[in-house]
Amino acid sequence: MIDDFQAATHFDRRIEGEIRDALGSARIVVVTGARQVGKTWAVRRVVGPSGAVHYLDNENTRTAALTDPHGFVRSGAGSTMAIDEVQLGTDALIRAIKAEADTRDERGQFLLNGSANFLTVPHITESLAGRAVFLTMLPLSQGEIAATGDGLLERSFAGSANLLDLGDSPLRADDYLELICRGGFPEPVRTTSRRARRRWFSGYVSSVATKEITRLEDVRDADLIPRLLRLVAARSGSEFVTATVARAADCDRRTVDRYVSLMEMTGLIHRLGAWSANLTARESRREKLLICDSGLAAHLLRKDPDSLAELTDPARGPLVELFALNELRKQALLSERLPDLFHYRDHRGDVEVDLVAEAEGDIVAWEIKASSSVSGTDARGLRRMRDRIDETGPGTFRNGIVLYAGTQAFSLGDRLTALPLSTLWTTPT
């Protein structure tokens, strides 16, 4: 069944439409994301064959930008000026872009992309807030790879009846394990060779650790970054405790916090906060840290589809969960509702929910299972959450969904539904 999902040479990226819309409303559009997710290709497609992209990883271009940043940005006046890897231009270039954008009222003056979060990079001291729209680009979604829909998150906020007509899935558990280990980075997706993928992921981790992160900050022990990434991958289904990771990595807590921040800046990991109806409580509860791509996480844990096929493999459940959470995050970033995403665990640890999506006061809760079957007990946490929310905010709990590695969609009770994992990318957008 997996053959139906093999990649083409090029993938249409849904963020391209978001970029075009943003250029029509803002003077500056910034696209950030991890290395090799396809930012440069998307920018080139948006500006079209008549537009020019200025690549700052080209030494001559970077020299021009650093030597005379104001002259450099003025050279693009009259059309959208696209600058690739703009974080390499330092603070002087950002100030020049701001100054030029402020002299004209035209929309879409600058399209910037980079492999670091602009608002957290230390040497970029001047924020573009108020002038720019910021978009985050993630690895390919399964819907982009298969050229199908990515509409399950959006549909989940409607009534539960429209979830039951999604139909059966042709995929089985082994198919999902292949997709999980393949991940969503374009280069590994394009190859069917497991060995080639391992080489690519090894080179990727080494490059990010020794080049990308060291460009942001002086890092004395670059070898610690892969170790910390591996520890984050191993704990992706659990709340992140800095002291525990510091002991496992044999370093101090401040070092862990510093390196985690650098990995977040470069898009390698992202945070999933704790949900509570009390906003103050959200700030005090522990978050989860998630690797940006299931293929990268599987590589870090030295897992492949064969090893994960063992039902007792401890990485199987967390990697299935990470795979689904990342797909839902990709849908959330491009959803008109722009839902906030959280995990939930009550103070006693009796009730846990893998994901809570909240938008405009409405809530959809998600459980993710690696098994090929679902029973009523698998929805226990969703049922408890539904009942508690019905008491405190009637009408706000829209759906509870169990995603699993089986083939059928069926009801688990009032506003509770079991769905195959593949409905994440076969539901029309």
Side-chain angles (χ1 to χ4, degrees), residues 73-128:
V73 299
R74 280 196 298 269
S75 69
S79 62
T80 297
M81 185 177 193
I83 304 177
D84 184 69
E85 297 294 357
V86 70
Q87 79 275 2
L88 300 180
T90 72
D91 190 51
L93 179 60
I94 298 299
R95 286 200 302 269
I97 290 170
K98 280 183 59 179
E100 181 65 20
D102 286 345
T103 64
R104 296 182 282 128
D105 192 44
E106 290 93 341
R107 306 296 95 178
Q109 295 180 42
F110 294 96
L111 174 55
L112 316 176
N113 75 276
S115 301
N117 186 328
F118 274 47
L119 297 182
T120 54
V121 176
H123 71 253
I124 298 179
T125 57
E126 299 260 358
S127 169
L128 296 176

Side-chain angles (χ1 to χ4, degrees), residues 165-199:
D165 61 3
L166 294 177
D168 294 347
S169 170
L171 299 187
R172 301 294 190 270
D174 289 348
D175 298 318
Y176 290 120
L177 299 181
E178 291 281 353
L179 297 178
I180 287 166
C181 292
R182 182 181 70 179
F185 283 101
E187 287 304 315
V189 167
R190 288 189 177 101
T191 179
T192 59
S193 167
R194 292 184 184 179
R195 184 178 181 184
R197 285 178 188 158
R198 285 195 297 269
R199 286 198 300 263

Side-chain angles (χ1 to χ4, degrees), residues 46 64 149 163 172 182-183 198 225 256 266 298 356 380 400:
V46 168
L163 298 176
R172 301 294 190 270
R182 182 181 70 179
R198 285 195 297 269
I225 294 169
V256 171
T266 52
V356 179
R380 174 177 171 269

Side-chain angles (χ1 to χ4, degrees), residues 53-65 84-85 88:
V53 180
H54 303 268
Y55 302 97
L56 291 194
D57 56 1
N58 177 285
E59 186 174 352
N60 292 335
T61 304
R62 186 168 64 253
T63 298
D84 184 69
E85 297 294 357
L88 300 180

